[in-house]
Amino acid sequence: MKNKTSVLPREGEAQPSRCPDNSAFKQQRLPAWKPQLTIASVLSSFFLTGAFCLTVGVCLVLSANSVREIQIDYSDKCSDCSKLRENSSNWNKECHCSINFTLKEDILGDVFMYYGLQNFYQNHRRYVKSRSDAQLLGRNVNIQRSYCVPFSTYRNGTPMAPCGAIANSMFNDTIDLFYNYNSSVIQVPLLKTGNSWWTDKNVKFRNPESYNLSSAFAGTARPPYWQKPVYLLDEEDERNNGYVNDDFIIWMRVSAFATFRNLYRRLRRVRRFAEGLPAGNYTFQISYNFPVTRFKGRKHVILSTVVWSGGSNPFLGIAYLVSGTAATLAGFVITGIHLKLRKKKTYFQK
């Protein structure tokens, strides 16, 4: 057997120390600042925070209330088209409906058109993951191994472009706005490009490289619920086709809530509409394609202006008001407790 070397220190030798080095860092002798909380500093912080939040909240609420907005629910007004769309065999049949409304006052400035959906849940985990970001960047990838299943390939093996449940359920109603001026009908000019974020258009979404878009998507097929292939989403503007189509990009940005709105068009301020939308009678011409009855949903079309704080949603302003009120009330409560305790201390000292 081999002799084992002893690791014990010999008699007379000093044992190694396990104490940390004698430095300011390891011995915790570094200079430090310890705030001394006095009643004046605590109360001033509460009241200043409350005043700041209340001021910002009032400004945000007033700003949101100054937004001009018109919202029209066309789920019931297009009931005939809704019944037609509930039967999937009628997917190739067109259905149109008209909605008349009146603007009593001019809507000045930039006007935005939104479509709104109610009771449509985009926040399900499998729905959110059902996409291929590599495919949306124009890369040649095997989507059968992606999260797009079952919306990845057809039974004959043809891949879908774009794949996934999000793309397959894309909102595809067509909404046009007409102005009834005297006895004539004028189509309101609307912009369908420039509505998406710059990072989406230039970073997150790209078309496959090819000499033309139809050859770039050769060998692929449209999603089952689409009426046209991805390279024909905008037949009037070639630059707004494929994966860089603005309507497609905006739809792929899923919502966290069941009721949401997405930007659809912007008013082109030219000629009679240079200052905005004049007062008068208007008509929405809707090509109804997106069914909502099965999931008890509703569809809206919204005309709205924007201000420096955004749209007409007052939630942020109300949140600031609630926070400011809570901070101010907490300051008064702390003040009352302090005065009560100081009075008792003075009484016992006497």
Side-chain angles (χ1 to χ4, degrees), residues 322-333:
V322 172
S323 301
T325 304
T328 305
L329 290 177
F332 282 115
V333 170

Side-chain angles (χ1 to χ4, degrees), residues 108-246:
L108 303 178
D110 294 328
V111 181
F112 299 82
M113 180 189 292
Y114 301 84
Y115 63 84
L117 290 177
Q118 184 177 344
N119 205 37
F120 188 91
Y121 289 85
Q122 289 188 310
N123 54 6
H124 192 280
R125 181 182 62 87
R126 292 188 62 185
Y127 182 87
V128 173
K129 294 175 64 176
S130 184
R131 59 187 292 165
S132 174
D133 291 324
Q135 183 194 46
L136 298 177
L137 284 172
R139 300 173 184 172
N140 187 13
V141 295
N142 184 6
I143 59 175
Q144 291 182 346
R145 298 181 179 179
S146 66
Y147 292 106
C148 290
V149 179
F151 299 102
S152 56
T153 59
Y154 287 92
R155 292 182 179 179
N156 59 1
T158 304
M160 299 181 189
C163 71
I166 306 176
N168 183 58
S169 60
M170 176 180 169
F171 183 86
N172 56 352
D173 283 2
T174 302
I175 306 172
D176 294 314
L177 181 61
F178 293 88
Y179 176 48
N180 304 316
Y181 182 70
N182 295 333
S183 59
S184 61
V185 178
I186 304 172
Q187 184 171 5
V188 179
L190 300 173
L191 296 172
K192 54 186 174 181
T193 57
N195 300 326
S196 59
W197 298 344
W198 184 92
T199 52
D200 288 339
K201 198 84 170 181
N202 297 274
V203 179
K204 295 183 179 180
F205 295 85
R206 294 177 184 174
N207 285 324
E209 295 182 0
S210 182
Y211 62 92
N212 63 34
L213 209 54
S214 60
S215 63
F217 289 97
T220 64
R222 59 176 176 81
Y225 292 171
W226 285 28
Q227 297 176 332
K228 58 180 69 174
V230 66
Y231 54 86
L232 292 178
L233 289 179
D234 189 352
E235 300 181 13
E236 299 177 359
D237 189 355
E238 295 182 356
R239 297 171 298 177
N240 191 36
N241 260 320
Y243 297 147
V244 295
N245 176 266
D246 275 46

Side-chain angles (χ1 to χ4, degrees), residues 53-54 56-61 313-323:
C53 291
L54 289 174
V56 175
V58 170
C59 294
L60 290 174
V61 170
N313 191 348
F315 173 79
L316 187 60
I318 294 175
Y320 268 100
L321 289 176
V322 172
S323 301

